[in-house]
Amino acid sequence: MGIIISKLSCRSRPCQGLRDDLRLCDSVSSTIKPKRCDYAYAYVDMSYTFGVLSSDTFTFASAESHSRSVSLRFPKSTFGCVHTTNGSFDSHAAGVVGLGNGPLSLITQLGDQIHHKFSYCLLPVTSNTTSKLRFGKHAVLTGKGLVSTPMFFEPEDPSYYLKLEAVSIGKKKIVNSQLTPAGKGNIVCDSGASLIFLKTDFYNQVEAAVRDAISLKAIKSPDPESNFKLCYDTRSFDRYPEIKIVFHFSGASVTLKTVNTFLGDEKITCLAMAATEGDPFFGNLAQINFQVEYDLASKKVSFVPADCSKY
């Protein structure tokens, strides 16, 4: 028996939930046969996807199944049925899951059924197993080292904002001078972006502190267009003791390890942070080997150190 997927029209409520710049509907459509809801979506890394907004039943294996075959079904779920895509996908990936706060994200659609909670535990890129995503009561975190920080939202923006107050490099604490009014954040906590992006002035102070803390001769990145500005010869860097880098969010200090702050290969290792004039990001490398819980009802994000291979 085949899978029946319903393609949605431009006049459907989910299609109207798309941003105007993503929806490829004519301004004047037929009143007899409404156009299908084609969309185009592009990311900052220049990857893109074209498809048709569609509806189907989502089925997930339950965390309670153990040896039993148990699944959870969510009928009439909206998703993008892709027909053209280009990006950094490999043979093991087929697309992107929307975990943001937008009207069509998976999290918003599941809503009350998952108590507006989800969590993940991201594995290092060298791992040969897969990271886990949990929903509802199975997403709630406990344990030693658990810290929580308020989450902030912006109108028409599906991102999750946190308030970053300072960064410590060893014993040196650098205060974030990017002032934000009460009720607003200043950095996006994101599982899609890879690096930590900081405002240029703040980044320059952090980079200088890292450079001072590591008494090694820095080398230039072989790619002049690269985001990486502080790099070292991997052979010498691997012999250097780990430095302590702490991100101080409002009410929560998150201590990062080398796996969270440096990225490299057998030749060159670089600080996995970059300067930006846009929104700062706390990307997925910084979240490796942390359980991270998003509680949209309580408006908080929680972190607890973990070995994600055991999660």
Side-chain angles (χ1 to χ4, degrees):
M1 183 172 66
I3 298 174
I4 300 175
I5 297 175
S6 300
K7 295 179 180 179
L8 300 176
S9 75
C10 284
R11 285 191 274 167
S12 65
R13 179 175 294 180
C15 189
Q16 295 302 309
L18 282 174
R19 290 203 325 254
D20 291 344
D21 59 323
L22 303 179
R23 193 171 58 245
L24 303 180
C25 291
D26 292 337
S27 56
V28 179
S29 61
S30 168
T31 58
I32 300 175
K33 187 178 181 181
K35 279 175 58 66
R36 70 182 189 181
C37 185
D38 292 317
Y39 66 84
Y41 203 105
Y43 294 87
V44 292
D45 65 357
M46 305 307 291
S47 59
Y48 61 82
T49 179
F50 296 91
V52 183
L53 203 64
S54 305
S55 178
D56 197 3
T57 296
F58 287 177
T59 303
F60 298 93
S62 172
E64 297 178 333
S65 61
H66 300 295
S67 60
R68 296 180 297 117
S69 178
V70 176
S71 61
L72 302 175
R73 292 167 56 84
F74 299 95
K76 297 182 180 179
S77 300
T78 301
F79 71 103
C81 188
V82 176
H83 55 69
T84 304
T85 188
N86 181 62
S88 55
F89 302 123
D90 58 24
S91 59
H92 302 291
V96 176
V97 176
L99 300 178
N101 192 43
L104 296 180
S105 80
L106 176 64
I107 301 306
T108 301
Q109 290 189 64
L110 298 183
D112 291 337
Q113 299 171 87
I114 61 169
H115 310 294
H116 304 278
K117 293 182 176 73
F118 71 97
S119 69
Y120 51 71
C121 201
L122 301 180
L123 288 155
V125 292
T126 55
S127 176
N128 56 10
T129 57
T130 57
S131 300
K132 302 298 188 295
L133 179 63
R134 294 186 175 185
F135 304 101
K137 64 181 181 181
H138 302 291
V140 177
L141 303 186
T142 58
K144 184 179 179 180
L146 175 68
V147 294
S148 300
T149 184
M151 180 196 309
F152 304 96
F153 304 99
E154 294 291 338
E156 309 299 323
D157 187 341
S159 302
Y160 302 115
Y161 286 85
L162 309 181
K163 184 168 288 188
L164 178 62
E165 297 177 343
V167 173
S168 291
I169 314 294
K171 295 182 179 180
K172 184 173 183 179
K173 190 173 186 178
I174 305 164
V175 176
N176 187 3
S177 61
Q178 185 189 353
L179 300 177
T180 54
K184 288 186 176 290
N186 58 12
I187 189 168
V188 176
C189 187
D190 187 62
S191 59
S194 295
L195 306 181
I196 296 171
F197 287 90
L198 302 173
K199 287 289 189 181
T200 301
D201 289 346
F202 191 38
Y203 168 81
N204 288 339
Q205 295 178 68
V206 170
E207 184 199 285
V210 173
R211 192 185 294 268
D212 289 344
I214 299 178
S215 54
L216 295 173
K217 183 180 179 181
I219 61 177
K220 289 184 178 180
S221 169
D223 180 4
E225 300 299 319
S226 170
N227 284 314
F228 301 126
K229 303 302 179 187
L230 179 60
C231 300
Y232 298 96
D233 183 299
T234 296
R235 291 168 296 180
S236 60
F237 183 82
D238 282 349
R239 295 192 295 268
Y240 197 82
E242 189 164 69
I243 63 169
K244 185 178 180 180
I245 298 181
V246 183
F247 272 63
H248 302 281
F249 298 103
S250 177
S253 292
V254 179
T255 301
L256 304 182
K257 297 184 177 181
T258 299
V259 70
N260 304 116
T261 50
F262 284 88
L263 190 64
D265 54 27
E266 67 278 2
K267 293 183 179 179
I268 187 170
T269 298
C270 300
L271 180 66
M273 303 184 194
T276 182
E277 290 306 314
D279 275 339
F281 277 81
F282 192 67
N284 55 42
L285 285 172
Q287 300 174 56
I288 287 173
N289 279 339
F290 283 92
Q291 293 186 59
V292 185
E293 177 197 346
Y294 295 74
D295 185 337
L296 277 65
S298 299
K299 296 183 178 179
K300 67 179 181 180
V301 175
S302 300
F303 300 88
V304 63
D307 178 353
C308 289
S309 65
K310 299 177 181 178
Y311 178 57

